[in-house]
Every structure is written in C-alpha cells, then in structure tokens.
C-alpha cells in the first residue's frame, strides 16, 4: 500500500513538472527579465541584479560590492555636488564641529533627486527588510585632496540613546589618487592572493585590511552585533591621500527604534 502511494505521488509530481515545462514552451511568453522582476518589487524596483557581491568578513559582516553605482550615476553625483562642498565635520553626540586633527576633507549633502533616491532605494533593498524604523540618511559625497584623511572612528555613536547608524556603505566615485584606502585595523588580512585586486596586500604601514579605492565599488558593513550592541571590529579610517583626488559617497542606514541593550545602559 505504502509503495503504491509513493509511486502515485511520484507520478503526480512528474506530471505536474511536465505540464509546467509544456506551458513554458508552448503557452504565453513569460517576461522574466530583470526589469519585469524589479517592477514587481514596488519601492525596491531599483535593487540591481547585476551586482557582484563577495563576503569579506562574517564577524563583523563586511561585504564587497562591485558595480554598486554606474558611471552615469557617478557623473550625476559629482555634478550635483558642485557648489555644495563645505569642510567636513565630526559629530560626537550629534553635535557637529570641524576638527582638522581628526578629519580633513570636503562634504556635500546631496539633494534627493530621482537618481539619488534610486541609489538610496538600492541601498535599502540590498540590506534586507528591517521594518519601518530603518531608513537611509541623506547621502553625502566626500572629497579628499592631498593629505586629506579621516582618522580612526566608528560610525555608531555611543553618546546617543535613541536611534543609531546600523549599517554603512563606503562607495568610491573618483579614485585618481595614491593612498586614500579604507583601513579596518581589526580585520584579519586573508591569505588568498585573489583578494589583492581589492585590498592592499603590500601594506606594511597599517595593520589589518585596507580596501583600495575602486571606481563604482562599495564596501558594506554592519555596525552592530545582532543584539544591538556596538561592534568594535568595524573601527576604520580613510587613510591619507598621498597624491591626486579621491571622492567617496557615504550611505548610512539609521534605525530610529534602536536603543542600547541592557548591558550598555
């Protein structure tokens, strides 16, 4: 009896599969293009399907994304940044001021036009659905000339108690420079030399891992542990530019519902 039921189920599954294949081959043409699929995603229609993503670190979670922005998008971001550049500030506890001992660059707070919103939506979709409390802060471009840098820091802020930066994207728009890498001193440098196109494998000056500025690419990381506590493995710096110019794009995910876990209160 059991054998008869098993054979019947196998026959039914095979029949359904053959029927589906026949429908695909002879029935109405299915539009499975990326444009159609993205169109089904509503507000996430600009989540790109041609991203090349590699897991660099699992704890903390650090991902490397090729082609996060296109050259047309880069040209647009650079164009709308003109006339908006101001000296970059530091923001301890939400209070902003210029501190050239910690940070030397120029920042431009970008207006939310159609292309900027497209990139924001892409970043929001990439990091997964996190509820209505998480959104992308207004994006900023950062321009570094010779000797421009941002000293070691965290993107989370230990001085705020309601809401915090939970995710970060560092996107490279212009990389006509020497130096200027993004260094994570607490990440372990991999032994696999295939990473050397992405990180500086010959860096003897700084410990940890230094990501090379590569146009269009992005480094993404989680700023918190799963329990909401600060992850100290994501301490990082924008290393000094030795020659030329570097322009980056900062994208931060802010969770307004975040509160310090009990052990931090």
């Amino acid at each position: 009896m059991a054998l008869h039921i098993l054979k019947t189920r196998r026959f039914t599954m095979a029949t359904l599969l053959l029927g589906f294949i026949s429908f695909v081959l002879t029935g109405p043409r299915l539009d499975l293009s990326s444009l159609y699929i993205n169109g089904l995603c509503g507000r996430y229609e600009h989540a790109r399907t041609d991203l090349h993503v590699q897991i660099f670190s699992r704890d903390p979670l650090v991902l490397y994304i090729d082609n996060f922005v296109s050259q047309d998008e880069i040209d647009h971001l650079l164009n709308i940044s003109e006339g908006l550049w101001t000296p970059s500030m530091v923001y301890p506890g939400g209070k902003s001021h210029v501190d050239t001992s910690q940070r030397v660059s120029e920042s431009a707070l970008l207006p939310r036009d159609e292309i900027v919103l497209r990139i924001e939506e892409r970043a929001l979709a990439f990091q997964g659905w996190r509820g209505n409390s998480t959104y992308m802060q207004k994006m900023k471009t950062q321009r570094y000339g010779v000797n421009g840098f941002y000293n070691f820091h965290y993107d989370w802020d230990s001085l705020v108690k309601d809401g915090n930066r939970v995710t970060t994207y560092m996107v490279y728009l212009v990389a006509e420079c020497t130096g200027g890498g993004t260094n994570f001193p607490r990440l372990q440098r991999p032994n696999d030399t295939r990473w050397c196109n992405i990180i500086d494998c010959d860096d003897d000056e700084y410990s940890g891992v230094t990501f090379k500025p590569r146009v269009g690419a992005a480094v993404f990381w989680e700023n918190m542990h799963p329990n909401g506590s600060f992850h100290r493995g994501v301490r990082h710096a924008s290393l000094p530019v030795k020659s030329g110019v570097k322009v980056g794009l900062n994208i931060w995910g802010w969770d307004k519902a975040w509160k310090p876990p009990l052990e931090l209160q």
Side-chain angles (χ1 to χ4, degrees):
M1 182 66 177
L3 181 61
H4 173 71
I5 293 174
L6 181 60
K7 288 181 178 179
T8 301
R9 287 178 176 173
R10 287 178 176 173
F11 175 77
T12 301
M13 292 177 66
T15 302
L16 291 172
L17 179 60
L18 288 172
F20 175 75
I21 294 173
S22 176
F23 171 76
V24 171
L25 295 177
T26 62
R29 182 175 178 83
L30 295 177
D31 182 2
L32 299 179
S33 66
S34 61
L35 288 176
Y36 175 75
I37 294 173
N38 287 340
L40 295 177
C41 295
R43 64 179 295 191
Y44 300 109
E45 61 180 327
H46 297 299
R48 293 182 46 170
T49 57
D50 58 345
L51 301 178
H52 180 204
V53 183
Q54 293 173 281
I55 300 173
F56 186 85
S57 168
R58 291 169 177 80
D59 185 19
L61 180 63
V62 179
L63 306 178
Y64 188 82
I65 314 168
D66 255 336
N67 305 316
F68 187 76
V69 289
S70 69
Q71 188 58 55
D72 286 344
E73 290 171 334
I74 291 172
D75 292 341
H76 177 77
L77 295 174
L78 296 176
N79 182 57
I80 64 173
S81 297
E82 290 305 317
L84 301 178
W85 297 113
T86 59
S88 297
M89 299 184 179
V90 294
Y91 299 87
K95 299 177 180 179
S96 60
H97 63 276
V98 174
D99 184 350
T100 56
S101 70
Q102 296 298 314
R103 188 178 193 184
V104 176
S105 66
E106 296 173 292
S107 302
L109 186 64
L110 300 180
R112 281 182 162 131
D113 62 16
E114 180 181 357
I115 294 177
V116 169
L117 286 173
R118 175 199 306 169
I119 298 170
E120 282 189 16
E121 290 172 3
R122 183 181 308 149
L124 188 64
F126 178 85
Q127 65 186 24
W129 289 277
R130 295 169 180 248
N132 294 329
S133 64
T134 302
Y135 61 92
M136 311 314 294
Q137 294 183 286
K138 290 190 73 172
M139 299 193 304
K140 288 183 178 181
T141 47
Q142 307 284 342
R143 183 167 64 183
Y144 297 83
V146 175
N147 297 323
F149 73 101
Y150 193 175
N151 209 351
F152 291 98
H153 64 284
Y154 301 102
D155 287 345
W156 46 259
D157 191 338
S158 62
L159 299 179
V160 300
K161 303 301 181 183
D162 293 300
N164 224 310
R165 286 177 177 166
V166 292
T167 58
T168 297
Y169 296 81
M170 179 65 240
V171 190
Y172 303 104
L173 306 181
V174 175
E176 299 170 354
C177 62
T178 59
T182 305
N183 178 260
F184 291 80
R186 294 171 180 167
L187 292 185
Q188 183 175 354
R189 191 178 302 180
N191 294 323
D192 194 325
T193 57
R194 287 175 292 185
W195 284 106
C196 295
N197 189 44
I198 292 172
I199 66 171
D200 189 349
C201 294
D202 300 320
D203 184 5
D204 297 326
E205 186 176 359
Y206 296 93
S207 61
V209 169
T210 299
F211 287 94
K212 299 177 180 180
R214 299 177 73 228
V215 172
V219 182
F220 166 87
W221 63 90
E222 295 270 2
N223 287 308
M224 309 295 186
H225 289 284
N227 70 346
S229 61
F230 305 128
H231 204 310
R232 299 189 180 276
V234 293
R235 188 170 185 258
H236 61 284
S238 180
L239 299 181
V241 171
K242 297 178 180 179
S243 66
V245 175
K246 181 187 79 171
V247 180
L249 173 69
N250 292 132
I251 310 176
W252 292 295
W254 182 274
D255 184 358
K256 63 184 179 182
W258 177 91
K259 292 184 181 299
L262 291 177
E263 61 267 26
L264 297 180
Q265 298 185 33

